[in-house]
Amino acid sequence: QVQLVESGGGSVQAGGSLRLSCAASGNVARNHNMGWIRQAPGQERELTAMITSFGMTEYGDSVKGRFTISRDNAKNTVYLEMNNLNDDDTAIYYCKLTNWGVNGETFWGQGTQVTVSS
């Protein structure tokens, strides 16, 4: 099992910034993907940003150029720096970790609310 603990959500005005953190513990595979999936009210979950254990990144189209994902391998922690936030960024942000390999599993955090007001 893998435990994911998220922090850093909250409320911010449009144009502002927030930083999310997600710390992983437990059976984290040496090779894995870790990142954030968000779900806005009435919408499906969508990729926000993902980073591999090697440092390769992927971003959702709507956040490219505004959000930056990074990681501290020693702490098994990923960070999401969110800048120039707008109303469309209001969502619950879920941390997600997928272990690579034949028996790879996916784990989810409990989610953290981000609310952007104009």
Side-chain angles (χ1 to χ4, degrees):
Q1 282 294 320
V2 170
Q3 294 76 42
L4 301 173
V5 178
E6 301 145 331
S7 61
S11 297
V12 65
Q13 289 192 329
S17 299
L18 281 175
R19 188 192 195 206
L20 304 182
S21 300
C22 177
S25 61
N27 293 327
V28 179
R30 180 177 181 180
N31 299 326
H32 61 270
N33 296 334
M34 193 169 172
W36 301 89
I37 306 294
R38 70 184 184 183
Q39 186 168 23
Q43 304 294 320
E44 295 184 353
R45 291 188 178 186
E46 64 173 5
L47 171 68
T48 305
M50 194 66 62
I51 187 167
T52 71
S53 46
F54 301 107
M56 294 181 64
T57 60
E58 181 181 1
Y59 293 93
D61 289 340
S62 62
V63 307
K64 287 179 181 177
R66 300 187 298 121
F67 291 12
T68 302
I69 190 168
S70 60
R71 65 180 299 144
D72 183 334
N73 285 336
K75 297 180 180 179
N76 268 343
T77 298
V78 296
Y79 306 96
L80 185 66
E81 190 73 36
M82 304 185 293
N83 297 315
N84 194 22
L85 287 159
N86 59 57
D87 293 353
D88 291 338
D89 297 316
T90 294
I92 299 174
Y93 286 70
Y94 295 93
C95 184
K96 176 184 177 183
L97 184 147
T98 300
N99 283 328
W100 296 7
V102 176
N103 298 317
E105 293 183 73
T106 294
F107 303 91
W108 293 88
Q110 78 281 4
T112 185
Q113 177 71 47
V114 171
T115 302
V116 183
S117 57
S118 55

